[in-house]
Amino acid sequence: VWNGIILDITDRKRAEDALKKTQLKEVRYHSFFENTCNGVLIYEYVPGSDPGKDDYIIKDVNRVTASLLRMPKEEIVGKRLFEEFPELPDPEIRDLLRRVLITEQPEFVAPLKYRYREDFPWIYHYVFKLPSGEIASFMIDVTDVVKENRDANRQVLSRQASPRAGPSPRSRGSF
């Protein structure tokens, strides 16, 4: 004769499985966030006291962003974007962030610098709204491309400015 209690633990097992899946997703996305080759920046909208003076609190950055901005992550997170980086193009960037926030349509940002110092890179952004209501930005260092384009433009301008000596011997005649 057996005398005992039978418990149905089906719901508990389902809850444990769901928790494990959630934890796995969290680890997966955190790993992606920290280890992607691009900078990732998450902002939260903060209404301004004056029209056109809205700001954005930096909620999170990955290690690439910290490297691009030449600051430890701990010194970036929690800062107001336009207070910490007053050299950002304003009102262009404020307007772009506001548009993305309102329209929920992603936008690209032409290369810019967060600080106009030689050691700061030119950064290209892809900005989009997250389901949480926050704004996210992928950051790509395009310093080499900007410098190559600037050098190529200088060469073209210097050729255009120099006096022309007439056609070279190779340019005469047929192709």
Side-chain angles (χ1 to χ4, degrees):
V1 169
W2 182 79
N3 190 5
I5 298 175
I6 299 175
L7 295 174
D8 184 358
I9 61 168
T10 305
D11 289 339
R12 188 174 102 205
K13 286 304 243 177
R14 285 184 186 147
E16 287 173 357
D17 289 346
L19 180 60
K20 285 179 187 176
K21 286 179 184 177
T22 300
Q23 289 170 337
L24 176 63
K25 284 182 181 179
E26 178 66 26
V27 168
R28 179 185 303 139
Y29 288 111
H30 183 74
S31 178
F32 170 77
F33 178 83
E34 282 301 327
N35 295 303
T36 185
C37 62
N38 297 321
V40 182
L41 184 55
I42 309 293
Y43 317 90
E44 180 181 358
Y45 171 74
V46 178
S49 56
D50 297 328
K53 290 299 180 184
D54 300 337
D55 211 338
Y56 297 82
I57 293 180
I58 300 168
K59 300 301 283 183
D60 204 358
V61 300
N62 68 353
R63 62 181 177 75
V64 174
T65 299
S67 175
L68 290 170
L69 299 180
R70 311 295 192 253
M71 298 171 69
K73 179 177 181 170
E74 300 75 32
E75 290 181 22
I76 301 169
V77 173
K79 301 286 178 140
R80 288 180 177 255
L81 180 65
F82 292 98
E83 286 179 10
E84 187 63 31
F85 301 104
E87 295 171 68
L88 285 173
D90 190 8
E92 296 84 5
I93 298 301
R94 275 186 216 270
D95 292 345
L96 178 135
L97 292 171
R98 189 177 310 109
R99 275 193 313 273
V100 170
L101 187 66
I102 292 168
T103 67
E104 300 185 10
Q105 295 299 310
E107 292 195 30
F108 292 96
V109 179
L112 58 80
K113 283 189 169 199
Y114 277 72
R115 298 198 197 284
Y116 282 96
R117 297 189 335 219
E118 191 59 35
D119 65 323
F120 263 69
W122 287 94
I123 302 171
Y124 184 78
H125 290 263
Y126 176 73
V127 182
F128 56 99
K129 186 174 180 180
L130 296 171
S132 64
E134 297 166 312
I135 301 292
S137 177
F138 288 130
M139 306 167 70
I140 302 167
D141 183 347
V142 292
T143 303
D144 292 339
V145 174
V146 169
K147 286 181 179 178
E148 287 171 14
N149 288 341
R150 186 175 40 205
D151 293 345
N153 288 338
R154 284 183 185 150
Q155 288 175 356
V156 167
L157 290 174
S158 69
R159 280 190 227 126
Q160 290 173 347
S162 65
R164 300 202 176 182
S168 68
R170 290 186 186 182
S171 65
R172 294 185 190 135
S174 64
F175 293 96

